[in-house]
PDB file of all heavy atoms in Angstrom:
ATOM      1  N   SER A 148       0.818  -1.221   0.000  1.00 93.00           N
ATOM      2  CA  SER A 148       0.000   0.000   0.000  1.00 93.00           C
ATOM      3  C   SER A 148       0.849   1.267   0.000  1.00 93.00           C
ATOM      4  O   SER A 148       0.318   2.376  -0.043  1.00 93.00           O
ATOM      5  CB  SER A 148      -0.925   0.008   1.229  1.00 93.00           C
ATOM      6  OG  SER A 148      -0.159  -0.012   2.427  1.00 93.00           O
ATOM      7  N   PHE A 149       2.190   1.093   0.050  1.00 95.00           N
ATOM      8  CA  PHE A 149       3.077   2.257   0.140  1.00 95.00           C
ATOM      9  C   PHE A 149       3.443   2.774  -1.247  1.00 95.00           C
ATOM     10  O   PHE A 149       4.017   2.041  -2.060  1.00 95.00           O
ATOM     11  CB  PHE A 149       4.350   1.896   0.902  1.00 95.00           C
ATOM     12  CG  PHE A 149       5.346   3.022   0.977  1.00 95.00           C
ATOM     13  CD1 PHE A 149       5.103   4.130   1.770  1.00 95.00           C
ATOM     14  CD2 PHE A 149       6.531   2.973   0.235  1.00 95.00           C
ATOM     15  CE1 PHE A 149       6.022   5.168   1.843  1.00 95.00           C
ATOM     16  CE2 PHE A 149       7.448   4.011   0.303  1.00 95.00           C
ATOM     17  CZ  PHE A 149       7.189   5.108   1.108  1.00 95.00           C
ATOM     18  N   PRO A 150       3.122   4.047  -1.556  1.00 94.00           N
ATOM     19  CA  PRO A 150       3.469   4.603  -2.877  1.00 94.00           C
ATOM     20  C   PRO A 150       4.909   5.114  -2.884  1.00 94.00           C
ATOM     21  O   PRO A 150       5.187   6.248  -2.494  1.00 94.00           O
ATOM     22  CB  PRO A 150       2.474   5.759  -3.037  1.00 94.00           C
ATOM     23  CG  PRO A 150       2.187   6.208  -1.627  1.00 94.00           C
ATOM     24  CD  PRO A 150       2.337   4.999  -0.738  1.00 94.00           C
ATOM     25  N   ALA A 151       5.839   4.288  -3.346  1.00 97.00           N
ATOM     26  CA  ALA A 151       7.240   4.695  -3.376  1.00 97.00           C
ATOM     27  C   ALA A 151       7.488   5.788  -4.409  1.00 97.00           C
ATOM     28  O   ALA A 151       8.266   6.716  -4.174  1.00 97.00           O
ATOM     29  CB  ALA A 151       8.128   3.486  -3.667  1.00 97.00           C
ATOM     30  N   LEU A 152       6.835   5.675  -5.575  1.00 98.00           N
ATOM     31  CA  LEU A 152       6.900   6.707  -6.612  1.00 98.00           C
ATOM     32  C   LEU A 152       5.487   6.988  -7.098  1.00 98.00           C
ATOM     33  O   LEU A 152       4.714   6.061  -7.339  1.00 98.00           O
ATOM     34  CB  LEU A 152       7.766   6.256  -7.790  1.00 98.00           C
ATOM     35  CG  LEU A 152       9.261   6.060  -7.544  1.00 98.00           C
ATOM     36  CD1 LEU A 152       9.937   5.543  -8.812  1.00 98.00           C
ATOM     37  CD2 LEU A 152       9.916   7.342  -7.068  1.00 98.00           C
ATOM     38  N   ASP A 153       5.168   8.257  -7.267  1.00 97.00           N
ATOM     39  CA  ASP A 153       3.818   8.658  -7.639  1.00 97.00           C
ATOM     40  C   ASP A 153       3.873   9.597  -8.843  1.00 97.00           C
ATOM     41  O   ASP A 153       4.031  10.808  -8.701  1.00 97.00           O
ATOM     42  CB  ASP A 153       3.144   9.344  -6.443  1.00 97.00           C
ATOM     43  CG  ASP A 153       1.687   9.716  -6.715  1.00 97.00           C
ATOM     44  OD1 ASP A 153       1.157   9.322  -7.762  1.00 97.00           O
ATOM     45  OD2 ASP A 153       1.102  10.410  -5.862  1.00 97.00           O
ATOM     46  N   ASP A 154       3.823   9.008 -10.056  1.00 97.00           N
ATOM     47  CA  ASP A 154       3.753   9.780 -11.299  1.00 97.00           C
ATOM     48  C   ASP A 154       4.961  10.715 -11.453  1.00 97.00           C
ATOM     49  O   ASP A 154       4.817  11.914 -11.651  1.00 97.00           O
ATOM     50  CB  ASP A 154       2.449  10.583 -11.347  1.00 97.00           C
ATOM     51  CG  ASP A 154       2.130  11.072 -12.753  1.00 97.00           C
ATOM     52  OD1 ASP A 154       2.456  10.374 -13.719  1.00 97.00           O
ATOM     53  OD2 ASP A 154       1.553  12.178 -12.880  1.00 97.00           O
ATOM     54  N   VAL A 155       6.153  10.145 -11.373  1.00 98.00           N
ATOM     55  CA  VAL A 155       7.390  10.921 -11.438  1.00 98.00           C
ATOM     56  C   VAL A 155       7.855  11.056 -12.882  1.00 98.00           C
ATOM     57  O   VAL A 155       7.977  10.067 -13.607  1.00 98.00           O
ATOM     58  CB  VAL A 155       8.499  10.255 -10.593  1.00 98.00           C
ATOM     59  CG1 VAL A 155       9.856  10.896 -10.868  1.00 98.00           C
ATOM     60  CG2 VAL A 155       8.148  10.343  -9.116  1.00 98.00           C
ATOM     61  N   SER A 156       8.141  12.286 -13.286  1.00 98.00           N
ATOM     62  CA  SER A 156       8.692  12.561 -14.613  1.00 98.00           C
ATOM     63  C   SER A 156       9.868  13.524 -14.471  1.00 98.00           C
ATOM     64  O   SER A 156       9.785  14.493 -13.706  1.00 98.00           O
ATOM     65  CB  SER A 156       7.643  13.189 -15.540  1.00 98.00           C
ATOM     66  OG  SER A 156       6.579  12.297 -15.786  1.00 98.00           O
ATOM     67  N   LEU A 157      10.936  13.259 -15.213  1.00 97.00           N
ATOM     68  CA  LEU A 157      12.092  14.162 -15.237  1.00 97.00           C
ATOM     69  C   LEU A 157      13.006  13.758 -16.378  1.00 97.00           C
ATOM     70  O   LEU A 157      12.862  12.689 -16.969  1.00 97.00           O
ATOM     71  CB  LEU A 157      12.845  14.156 -13.904  1.00 97.00           C
ATOM     72  CG  LEU A 157      13.414  12.827 -13.396  1.00 97.00           C
ATOM     73  CD1 LEU A 157      14.840  12.612 -13.899  1.00 97.00           C
ATOM     74  CD2 LEU A 157      13.408  12.792 -11.878  1.00 97.00           C
ATOM     75  N   THR A 158      13.967  14.630 -16.671  1.00 98.00           N
ATOM     76  CA  THR A 158      14.936  14.385 -17.736  1.00 98.00           C
ATOM     77  C   THR A 158      16.343  14.593 -17.200  1.00 98.00           C
ATOM     78  O   THR A 158      16.592  15.550 -16.463  1.00 98.00           O
ATOM     79  CB  THR A 158      14.703  15.334 -18.928  1.00 98.00           C
ATOM     80  OG1 THR A 158      13.387  15.103 -19.455  1.00 98.00           O
ATOM     81  CG2 THR A 158      15.728  15.100 -20.023  1.00 98.00           C
ATOM     82  N   VAL A 159      17.248  13.685 -17.568  1.00 98.00           N
ATOM     83  CA  VAL A 159      18.671  13.845 -17.263  1.00 98.00           C
ATOM     84  C   VAL A 159      19.380  14.091 -18.584  1.00 98.00           C
ATOM     85  O   VAL A 159      19.357  13.238 -19.479  1.00 98.00           O
ATOM     86  CB  VAL A 159      19.257  12.595 -16.573  1.00 98.00           C
ATOM     87  CG1 VAL A 159      20.682  12.879 -16.095  1.00 98.00           C
ATOM     88  CG2 VAL A 159      18.381  12.125 -15.425  1.00 98.00           C
ATOM     89  N   GLU A 160      19.970  15.257 -18.727  1.00 97.00           N
ATOM     90  CA  GLU A 160      20.613  15.598 -19.990  1.00 97.00           C
ATOM     91  C   GLU A 160      21.919  14.814 -20.156  1.00 97.00           C
ATOM     92  O   GLU A 160      22.553  14.405 -19.190  1.00 97.00           O
ATOM     93  CB  GLU A 160      20.896  17.105 -20.055  1.00 97.00           C
ATOM     94  CG  GLU A 160      19.649  17.980 -19.992  1.00 97.00           C
ATOM     95  CD  GLU A 160      18.714  17.776 -21.169  1.00 97.00           C
ATOM     96  OE1 GLU A 160      19.170  17.271 -22.214  1.00 97.00           O
ATOM     97  OE2 GLU A 160      17.527  18.135 -21.044  1.00 97.00           O
ATOM     98  N   SER A 161      22.331  14.630 -21.400  1.00 96.00           N
ATOM     99  CA  SER A 161      23.555  13.898 -21.701  1.00 96.00           C
ATOM    100  C   SER A 161      24.758  14.591 -21.059  1.00 96.00           C
ATOM    101  O   SER A 161      24.936  15.805 -21.182  1.00 96.00           O
ATOM    102  CB  SER A 161      23.748  13.823 -23.215  1.00 96.00           C
ATOM    103  OG  SER A 161      24.911  13.121 -23.536  1.00 96.00           O
ATOM    104  N   GLY A 162      25.576  13.815 -20.334  1.00 96.00           N
ATOM    105  CA  GLY A 162      26.764  14.361 -19.690  1.00 96.00           C
ATOM    106  C   GLY A 162      26.503  15.104 -18.405  1.00 96.00           C
ATOM    107  O   GLY A 162      27.430  15.671 -17.811  1.00 96.00           O
ATOM    108  N   GLU A 163      25.269  15.088 -17.917  1.00 97.00           N
ATOM    109  CA  GLU A 163      24.906  15.837 -16.715  1.00 97.00           C
ATOM    110  C   GLU A 163      25.152  15.006 -15.456  1.00 97.00           C
ATOM    111  O   GLU A 163      25.078  13.780 -15.467  1.00 97.00           O
ATOM    112  CB  GLU A 163      23.420  16.217 -16.796  1.00 97.00           C
ATOM    113  CG  GLU A 163      22.914  17.041 -15.624  1.00 97.00           C
ATOM    114  CD  GLU A 163      21.465  17.482 -15.799  1.00 97.00           C
ATOM    115  OE1 GLU A 163      20.654  16.687 -16.307  1.00 97.00           O
ATOM    116  OE2 GLU A 163      21.155  18.619 -15.429  1.00 97.00           O
ATOM    117  N   LEU A 164      25.462  15.695 -14.365  1.00 97.00           N
ATOM    118  CA  LEU A 164      25.549  15.077 -13.039  1.00 97.00           C
ATOM    119  C   LEU A 164      24.341  15.554 -12.246  1.00 97.00           C
ATOM    120  O   LEU A 164      24.260  16.714 -11.849  1.00 97.00           O
ATOM    121  CB  LEU A 164      26.845  15.478 -12.347  1.00 97.00           C
ATOM    122  CG  LEU A 164      27.095  14.956 -10.924  1.00 97.00           C
ATOM    123  CD1 LEU A 164      26.959  13.446 -10.859  1.00 97.00           C
ATOM    124  CD2 LEU A 164      28.455  15.391 -10.423  1.00 97.00           C
ATOM    125  N   LEU A 165      23.376  14.660 -12.049  1.00 98.00           N
ATOM    126  CA  LEU A 165      22.094  14.998 -11.433  1.00 98.00           C
ATOM    127  C   LEU A 165      22.008  14.363 -10.050  1.00 98.00           C
ATOM    128  O   LEU A 165      22.318  13.184  -9.874  1.00 98.00           O
ATOM    129  CB  LEU A 165      20.945  14.481 -12.306  1.00 98.00           C
ATOM    130  CG  LEU A 165      19.535  14.868 -11.850  1.00 98.00           C
ATOM    131  CD1 LEU A 165      19.169  16.261 -12.363  1.00 98.00           C
ATOM    132  CD2 LEU A 165      18.503  13.853 -12.353  1.00 98.00           C
ATOM    133  N   ALA A 166      21.562  15.136  -9.069  1.00 97.00           N
ATOM    134  CA  ALA A 166      21.380  14.621  -7.710  1.00 97.00           C
ATOM    135  C   ALA A 166      19.906  14.400  -7.433  1.00 97.00           C
ATOM    136  O   ALA A 166      19.072  15.265  -7.724  1.00 97.00           O
ATOM    137  CB  ALA A 166      21.951  15.605  -6.696  1.00 97.00           C
ATOM    138  N   LEU A 167      19.582  13.233  -6.861  1.00 98.00           N
ATOM    139  CA  LEU A 167      18.249  12.960  -6.326  1.00 98.00           C
ATOM    140  C   LEU A 167      18.331  13.179  -4.825  1.00 98.00           C
ATOM    141  O   LEU A 167      19.006  12.425  -4.120  1.00 98.00           O
ATOM    142  CB  LEU A 167      17.811  11.535  -6.640  1.00 98.00           C
ATOM    143  CG  LEU A 167      17.756  11.133  -8.113  1.00 98.00           C
ATOM    144  CD1 LEU A 167      17.344   9.661  -8.249  1.00 98.00           C
ATOM    145  CD2 LEU A 167      16.788  12.019  -8.889  1.00 98.00           C
ATOM    146  N   LEU A 168      17.662  14.199  -4.338  1.00 97.00           N
ATOM    147  CA  LEU A 168      17.803  14.634  -2.947  1.00 97.00           C
ATOM    148  C   LEU A 168      16.457  14.576  -2.238  1.00 97.00           C
ATOM    149  O   LEU A 168      15.435  14.988  -2.791  1.00 97.00           O
ATOM    150  CB  LEU A 168      18.331  16.071  -2.919  1.00 97.00           C
ATOM    151  CG  LEU A 168      18.414  16.777  -1.564  1.00 97.00           C
ATOM    152  CD1 LEU A 168      19.447  16.103  -0.661  1.00 97.00           C
ATOM    153  CD2 LEU A 168      18.749  18.258  -1.762  1.00 97.00           C
ATOM    154  N   GLY A 169      16.467  14.075  -1.011  1.00 96.00           N
ATOM    155  CA  GLY A 169      15.230  14.048  -0.232  1.00 96.00           C
ATOM    156  C   GLY A 169      15.409  13.229   1.024  1.00 96.00           C
ATOM    157  O   GLY A 169      16.413  12.545   1.209  1.00 96.00           O
ATOM    158  N   PRO A 170      14.427  13.267   1.921  1.00 95.00           N
ATOM    159  CA  PRO A 170      14.511  12.509   3.168  1.00 95.00           C
ATOM    160  C   PRO A 170      14.342  11.015   2.929  1.00 95.00           C
ATOM    161  O   PRO A 170      13.950  10.579   1.847  1.00 95.00           O
ATOM    162  CB  PRO A 170      13.351  13.075   3.995  1.00 95.00           C
ATOM    163  CG  PRO A 170      12.354  13.523   2.965  1.00 95.00           C
ATOM    164  CD  PRO A 170      13.171  14.032   1.815  1.00 95.00           C
ATOM    165  N   SER A 171      14.616  10.219   3.941  1.00 92.00           N
ATOM    166  CA  SER A 171      14.426   8.771   3.845  1.00 92.00           C
ATOM    167  C   SER A 171      12.977   8.460   3.491  1.00 92.00           C
ATOM    168  O   SER A 171      12.048   9.064   4.033  1.00 92.00           O
ATOM    169  CB  SER A 171      14.781   8.103   5.174  1.00 92.00           C
ATOM    170  OG  SER A 171      16.148   8.290   5.476  1.00 92.00           O
TER     171      SER A 171
END
């Protein structure tokens, strides 16, 4: 019943260093 991801959309550009940041 736990929604780990809820309709997530994003783009990582070529050669980019992207951080996913958030609480536990």
